[in-house]
Amino acid sequence: MERRTFLKLAAGSTVLAGAGFAGINAAAAAGKEIVYLTPGLDLPFWRYLSKGIEDTVKAKGFNFQALDSHNSAETQLRNAQDSIARGVAGIIISPTDSSTAPSVLALAQKANIPVVIGDIGTNSGEFASFISSDNYAGAHDVGVALATALKAKGWEGGSVGIVAISQARKNGQARTKGFLDGLKEGGFTGKEAGLQQMQSYTADETFKFTQDLLTANPDMRGLFIQTDQPAIGALRAIKAARRNGEVLVAAFDGIPEFVDLLKSGELVVSGMQQPFLMGVNSGEALLEVLDGKKPKAEITVPIVAITSTNIEAELPTIRRTVFANEV
């Protein structure tokens, strides 16, 4: 199957790839700190990505701190200002959404502090490297897998709902488009049951969204949850509505609970990014800049579609790259 990269840098973005931060090197930064600005450590995905960064930069003698933005652009900016004020060696950021990153990038550029973007992306600004997953291709594979499962039950004419991450994020846009394209290519002939957009990224929030979708769409046969922990809320809502076994659920990312859910078939498929590996790549890219080298402008980490049929075979690999050895 052809895999296409959907995430692109915005026209206003500039990849400095080390050259714009000339004069910064490992010797000058020795003993200094690298910080990671993350949307929310309550989500396992960001925790795993953070762990990948931490292991990588600490191995080279740097101190490390993850600063939680709590999905707030204001908190993210304040964390960036505090980090820059104390003279950190470098910043890795997973922005709250693509529109909030430019303000952080501008501050770091003025202070001559290199920045690597670990996922989500930015609408503009200067940075050293962008590490991302192929969200379009990963969600496309999820859509195909869900369509195949629906067809196997004769439900391809029903409706499918989406509980999405922010559509202001480039990765959110890619997941929605990839999934819908995959559904169609997989033979789904039904209609969309609607899209609910996350704000707090919690299981309780998605529980309510799922209740609303089920009520508004009695014929709903499929549901796509665009990130990890909230999928648990969707499964709870389906059970509470006594629709268990009547709605097939597809997820994205991975948490330890997904292993047994996939084995049992409660989840049909999850498009698992490899956040620990993304963190490793993000840390390595920043270390290259600090050593006066030029990292790749864009580094794309594959997404693996894990289903009930391949979970056993894939588990040895994803145990580390997805779950940071927490499984």
Side-chain angles (χ1 to χ4, degrees), residues 49-325:
L49 199 152
S50 179
K51 180 63 175 171
I53 298 170
E54 180 178 14
D55 286 2
T56 302
V57 302
K58 280 189 171 181
K60 295 297 183 181
F62 286 88
N63 295 321
F64 172 81
Q65 186 177 16
L67 299 176
D68 196 329
S69 300
H70 300 289
N71 291 301
S72 163
E74 291 79 11
T75 302
Q76 175 180 268
L77 186 61
R78 186 165 58 251
N79 286 339
Q81 290 169 331
D82 292 345
S83 299
I84 291 167
R86 67 174 185 265
V88 298
I91 294 171
I92 296 170
I93 181 173
S94 300
T96 56
D97 66 50
S98 301
S99 67
T100 68
S103 57
V104 173
L105 297 176
L107 288 174
Q109 182 190 12
K110 185 176 180 180
N112 200 33
I113 293 174
V115 179
V116 165
I117 299 178
D119 203 32
I120 295 180
T122 184
N123 289 342
S124 62
E126 297 184 348
F127 50 90
S129 185
F130 175 37
I131 287 77
S132 66
S133 295
D134 192 338
N135 283 272
Y136 176 89
H140 177 276
D141 290 350
V142 169
V144 170
L146 182 60
T148 300
L150 289 168
K151 285 176 65 177
K153 288 184 173 290
W155 295 346
E156 65 269 27
S159 63
V160 171
I162 299 173
V163 180
I165 63 174
S166 170
Q167 297 298 284
R169 296 179 176 181
K170 294 182 182 298
N171 61 341
Q173 298 164 21
R175 288 181 201 178
T176 298
K177 178 169 174 49
F179 174 72
L180 293 174
D181 287 352
L183 264 184
K184 183 178 179 181
E185 291 177 29
F188 177 70
T189 58
K191 65 177 183 178
E192 295 177 36
L195 182 148
Q196 299 277 6
Q197 199 167 174
M198 298 179 203
Q199 295 181 355
S200 65
Y201 296 83
T202 64
D204 287 343
E205 178 187 55
T206 294
F207 179 92
K208 295 174 183 176
F209 284 156
T210 303
Q211 282 185 321
D212 292 344
L213 287 167
L214 289 168
T215 300
N217 302 276
D219 66 338
M220 191 169 76
R221 290 296 192 178
L223 184 61
F224 177 38
I225 312 299
Q226 289 189 356
T227 191
D228 45 33
Q229 193 69 42
I232 303 299
L235 293 172
R236 284 198 289 112
I238 290 168
K239 289 178 181 178
R242 298 181 180 178
R243 296 284 304 277
N244 202 28
E246 298 178 8
V247 180
L248 302 184
V249 179
F252 212 80
D253 297 330
I255 52 178
E257 293 94 325
F258 280 10
V259 174
D260 287 338
L261 290 171
L262 286 162
K263 287 181 178 179
S264 70
E266 289 185 72
L267 280 181
V268 172
V269 57
S270 185
M272 293 190 184
Q273 297 187 83
Q274 302 183 79
F276 182 84
L277 184 57
M278 292 176 71
V280 169
N281 287 341
S282 298
E284 288 176 346
L286 185 56
L287 290 172
E288 284 188 56
V289 180
L290 295 175
D291 201 29
K293 299 175 183 176
K294 184 178 179 179
K296 289 183 179 179
E298 293 185 65
I299 300 170
T300 303
V301 178
I303 293 173
V304 287
I306 304 299
T307 68
S308 57
T309 59
N310 70 9
I311 178 66
E312 293 289 358
E314 296 287 350
L315 191 55
T317 298
I318 66 173
R319 183 174 280 118
R320 177 177 185 272
T321 64
V322 175
F323 299 117
N325 292 318

